Amino acid sequence: YTLVTVSKNLSVSGGLSTAVGYPLDTVKVRIQTEGHYNGIWHCIQETYRTERVLGFYKGVSASVFTVSLISSVSFGTYRNFLCNICKLRYGTADAKPSGLDVSLAGGAAGAVRVVLMTPSEVAKVRMQTQRNPHPSITSTQPHSKPKYRGSLHCLKVIAKEEGFGGLYKGCSALLCRDCSSSAIYFLTYSSLCDWLTPAGKNKPGFLVVLLSGGSAGVLAWGLATPMDVLKSRMQVDESGQHKYKGLIHCARESIRKEGLKVLFKGLGLNCIRAFPVNMVVFVTYEAVLRFTDHFTNKK
């Protein structure tokens, strides 16, 4: 009952936080995959000038739905793995886990995320980087129809033109990104909560959860940004282009042409978006856990 309730509430908070932060994600992806922007503000101006507000929300519906599902699966996987690890090592699921235990459970949650989310990530990146001028801008000029009419149509086209492998482009970069960042994410949150919670209290307070959750998100995304850049570049590589042969080739070519700084494109946006989003996620997580613990104890 506890894990089901946690999953349902986390899916709602994950979906809402994604919808709120989606415009920044679109700007981040465009900066990572296109070299003609001078900075964040220039990308925002150009996107609004040619595509208006809708340009920032391409592919948002499918992304919100997917993240809603994956948030619940990710936290559910983390809790299950952590409980099983504690049972194996200490004989009871209620034992206090070590940092290694938390990291292993976090890494497992990241691996599960990759299997489920790679196709939706490919569709999201393709939709976000597709140029589709707003009707008010092109009313006096003829313009071609966009290749992708929506996220589902995008997935159909990719499967038809590039096969099943096309739906999992960038999977290697995503696996490196999510396994490591998810391990750091949960470890940072757990460690900060332990450090900031006064002696004698077995649960972190509201402000501690906010600070720990936001900080965990910032640190995880800060470390994940290089792989995030490579993932986006590999996924935007459509059939017929074949710019990149794999993760190593993508990294080598990107660094050769643009220098090491290319691996940190979108770092600021990732961190800005990560703090409020993960504050909400962890506050929801803790609130639901405590409610269900209270409910279970009463029974």
Side-chain angles (χ1 to χ4, degrees):
Y1 172 80
T2 300
L3 288 177
V4 171
T5 309
V6 169
S7 296
K8 287 180 179 178
N9 283 273
L10 281 169
S11 68
V12 173
S13 67
L16 288 174
S17 59
T18 298
V20 171
Y22 199 82
L24 289 179
D25 188 68
T26 297
V27 173
K28 177 208 72 172
V29 168
R30 290 190 172 193
I31 287 174
Q32 288 177 339
T33 57
E34 301 168 21
H36 61 271
Y37 295 116
N38 299 325
I40 295 171
W41 185 241
H42 181 227
C43 181
I44 292 172
Q45 285 181 314
E46 284 297 299
T47 300
Y48 181 76
R49 185 181 66 82
T50 56
E51 300 167 78
R52 296 294 186 254
V53 174
L54 292 178
F56 296 97
Y57 286 93
K58 287 180 174 179
V60 67
S61 57
S63 183
V64 167
F65 174 78
T66 305
V67 169
S68 297
L69 171 65
I70 289 170
S71 290
S72 62
V73 171
S74 179
F75 275 82
T77 300
Y78 168 72
R79 289 289 299 177
N80 274 311
F81 264 83
L82 193 58
C83 287
N84 286 322
I85 288 171
C86 287
K87 281 181 182 178
L88 287 171
R89 294 194 65 187
Y90 314 114
T92 174
D94 296 327
K96 184 171 178 58
S98 68
L100 178 61
D101 300 333
V102 172
S103 298
L104 289 173
V112 171
R113 282 172 59 90
V114 172
V115 175
L116 296 174
M117 77 184 295
T118 303
S120 68
E121 276 285 306
V122 175
K124 179 182 78 71
V125 169
R126 296 282 179 93
M127 290 294 295
Q128 287 175 321
T129 54
Q130 177 175 255
R131 286 291 176 266
N132 185 20
H134 193 272
S136 65
I137 307 299
T138 59
S139 56
T140 59
Q141 303 171 3
H143 61 281
S144 58
K145 291 183 179 180
K147 181 176 182 178
Y148 307 121
R149 298 194 296 269
S151 297
L152 288 178
H153 181 252
C154 181
L155 289 172
K156 288 180 182 178
V157 172
I158 293 171
K160 182 179 178 181
E161 294 184 351
E162 303 170 46
F164 182 76
L167 298 175
Y168 278 84
K169 271 191 173 178
C171 184
S172 55
L174 196 58
L175 190 65
C176 292
R177 187 195 79 174
D178 278 18
C179 285
S180 58
S181 66
S182 189
I184 293 295
Y185 179 63
F186 285 106
L187 178 61
T188 302
Y189 176 73
S190 177
S191 299
L192 283 176
C193 282
D194 288 344
W195 182 50
L196 296 173
T197 300
K201 289 186 67 176
N202 62 347
K203 297 285 186 182
F206 178 72
L207 291 178
V208 170
V209 171
L210 285 176
L211 181 61
S212 300
S215 300
V218 170
L219 181 59
W221 270 110
L223 295 173
T225 296
M227 283 298 164
D228 189 49
V229 172
L230 299 177
K231 184 259 328 169
S232 295
R233 292 188 166 212
M234 291 170 71
Q235 290 177 337
V236 82
D237 192 11
E238 298 185 3
S239 62
Q241 294 179 347
H242 301 301
K243 288 171 63 178
Y244 307 118
K245 299 173 184 176
L247 176 59
I248 302 300
H249 183 246
C250 179
R252 188 170 61 237
E253 285 297 296
S254 297
I255 293 170
R256 183 179 66 81
K257 293 177 181 177
E258 302 173 59
L260 273 173
K261 66 183 182 202
V262 69
L263 298 178
F264 298 94
K265 281 190 171 186
L267 174 62
L269 284 170
N270 275 337
C271 293
I272 290 169
R273 190 168 53 97
F275 197 88
V277 165
N278 289 286
M279 282 197 308
V280 173
V281 168
F282 272 109
V283 164
T284 305
Y285 175 68
E286 289 288 346
V288 175
L289 275 183
R290 291 178 196 192
F291 172 78
T292 50
D293 283 345
H294 177 70
F295 181 82
T296 304
N297 290 335
K298 284 183 70 175
K299 292 182 69 174

